[in-house]
Amino acid sequence: MIRKLWPYTRGCRRWIALGVICSGSEAVFELLLPLVMADIVGTGIPAGDTNYILTRGCLMVVMALVSMALGVSAAFLSSQAGQGFGANLRQAQYDRVQAYSFRNIEKFSTASLVTRLTNDCNMMQMTLMMSMRLLVRAPVMLVSALVLAVSISLKLSRVFLAALPLLLVMILLVIRRVSPLFSVFQERTDGVNLVVQENLSAVRVVKSFVREDYEEKKFQERNDALRQISEKAFGFVVINMPLMMLITYGTIIAVMWYGTPLVQAGELDVALLSTFFTYITQVLMSLMMVSMMMMMLTRSVACGKRIVEVLEEEPDIRDTGSGLQVRDGSVDFDHVFFKYNPEAGAWNLQDIDLHIPSGATVGVLGATGSAKSTLVQLIPRLYEASEGTVRVGGRPVGDYSLENLRNACAMVLQKNTLFSGTIRENLLWGDENASDQELEAACEAACAMEFIRRMPAGLDTDLGQGGVNVSGGQKQRLCIARAILKKPRVLILDDSTSAVDTATDAKIRAAFRSQLPDTTKIIIAQRVVSIMDADLIVVMDDGRIAETGTHRELMEKSEIYRDVYQSQQEGAEIHG
C-alpha cells in the first residue's frame, strides 16, 4: 500500500523529511529533561548549591523551549505534508475518473466515487499527519526511554519488560478483530451517501409521489446499518484504551513495590527512582500511542485499498490516436459487434453494417432496448466496438485522439445535463470563445431564444443546480444549442426533442438543414414525424438493423416501421 501511494507524496516529501526530524528531535529533548531534573534533585539540592540549581534550571528552560519549537514545527510540517498528500490523491483520482470510459464508470457508483474522493482521502491525509508525529515520536521515546530506564536500574526494568508482551498481544488481537470491520464501515458509508444523493437529486419526484416516509425509512435502514458497524468497530478501539491503562498503572504500582526496598537498601537513589518512573511512564505511553496509530492505520488501509482501486482501474478506451483532424462527417459501421460485459453471452449490437455520407440526415427508430443509444455512442468512442470497425471521416475512430474525435462529434444525450451557473456559461461549453451573436444564433436554431428573451437577465440568467429553473423542453433546447456551437462534423441527438412539441421539433430540424448543411445529423426519435423527412432511416430491432431506407421505402417494406407509424397516427387522430 505504501509503495502504491508513495508517488502521490510528490511536492511534500521535504516537509515529511523535516517533520520526521523535528518529531524525533522533540522526543530526544523531552527524554533529556528528566535527567537534568534528577541531577538537580540528587546533586544540587542536597549540596545546597544555589548557583548549580539555577544553572541546571536555566538549561531545563532552554531545553523545554527548544522542544516546544520543535513540536510546533513538527505540527506545521505534518499539516503541510498531509494536506498536500490529500490534495494529490484527490487530483489523481479525479483525473483518472475523467479518463474512464462509460464502461469503467459503471463499475463504481457515483456515491462511492464521492466518498473515495472526500472521506477516504481525508482519512489518508490524517494518517500521514499523525504518522509523522506519533509513529516517529513513539518509537524514539520507546527505545530511548527503555535504554535510559535500563541504565538506571536493570532490576526494576525487568518488571515492566514483563508487561510489554501483554501490551503487544492485546494490540495484535484488537487489530485482527477490527481490520475487516473498517472495510465494511466504508462500504456502508457509500450506502448512506447513495441514498442521500438519490433523494436530494430527485427531491421533486419524491415529493410528487408523496414518498417522503419511504425515503426516510430507507435512509434510516442504511444509517442504522452504518451505526451498528461503527459501534462494533470503534467499540473495540474504546475497550483497548482502558485495558492498556490498567496494564500501565499496574506496572507502575509493581515498580513502586519492588523499588522501595532498593531505595531503603541504598542500591537506588530517590531522584533516580523518580526519573525511572518518568521513563517507564513514557515507555508505556509510547506503546499506547503506537496502539492508537495501529488502529488508525487499520482503517486507513481500508480507505487506501479503495483509493488504489480507482487509481489502478485501467481506462477501457486508450487514447492512442494521433493529431489527425476529422476530415468530414461520413460515418461507417463495418460489421460491428458490441457487448457491455465481455463475459456476456449475447451481443448488444450484432453485425451492424451501415454507411452514412457526410452531411446526410439519418433517423434511428426502434423499440425501447433495441440498442439505438448504444449504436451512436460508438461514434465518439464513448464505448469501444468489440468487433468490427467504426469509421468517421473515412478513418477508424482509433486513429484520432479522443479530443479531436469528440470535438468533431457533438452529442446531446437522452439525459439532458446543465451545470450550475448562467445560460451563457452553459452554452460556452460548446465554444468558449463564442460571441453573443453566435450564442444567439445557436439559440435561435434550437428555438431557445424565444424563452431566453422572457427571462429577467437573458443569457445571464442563473439556471440553478442542474438547470432546475427551466422546464424539460427548455433544457433540451439549451443542450441542442450548446451542441450546435461546437460546429461539429457529426451531430447526434439521442431522443433530444422528446419534451418539445411537434411544431418546435419541425423548426429545429429546419434550422439544421439550413444552418448545418455539411454536418451529418443522426437523430434518434420515438416519433416517426421527427425523422420521416430524413435522407435515411434506420430501424433497429434487438441490437440488429432490421431495415434501412426512406420513409416511403420503409412504409412499403418494413412491418416494424409501418406498425409504429400507423399506431402513432391513430393515437394522434384520437387525441385530435
Side-chain angles (χ1 to χ4, degrees), residues 477-523:
R477 283 178 276 175
L478 288 174
C479 289
I480 292 170
R482 182 172 64 188
I484 292 172
L485 279 167
K486 288 188 72 174
K487 302 178 181 64
R489 300 289 189 186
V490 180
L491 175 62
I492 302 169
L493 303 180
D494 189 355
D495 201 18
S496 303
T497 57
S498 58
V500 302
D501 57 84
T502 54
T504 302
D505 187 8
K507 290 179 183 177
I508 293 172
R509 285 184 282 111
F512 288 163
R513 286 192 297 271
S514 61
Q515 297 187 26
L516 302 171
D518 299 324
T519 297
T520 302
K521 283 80 67 178
I522 301 176
I523 304 170

Side-chain angles (χ1 to χ4, degrees), residues 177-178 180-189 192 222-239 299:
R177 184 67 176 167
V178 167
L181 297 179
F182 280 131
S183 296
V184 178
F185 175 82
Q186 295 304 126
E187 292 172 4
R188 293 189 181 177
T189 301
V192 170
R222 300 286 181 92
N223 195 36
D224 287 344
L226 176 61
R227 176 180 56 80
Q228 289 169 5
I229 195 67
S230 61
E231 287 176 351
K232 193 172 182 180
F234 291 107
F236 282 104
V237 177
V238 170
I239 291 172
R299 184 180 176 189

Side-chain angles (χ1 to χ4, degrees), residues 556-574:
E556 294 176 358
K557 66 179 181 179
S558 175
E559 183 179 349
I560 297 174
Y561 185 83
R562 190 165 51 248
D563 289 346
V564 172
Y565 177 76
Q566 290 174 351
S567 65
Q568 291 182 3
Q569 288 298 104
E570 290 171 3
E573 290 174 4
I574 292 172

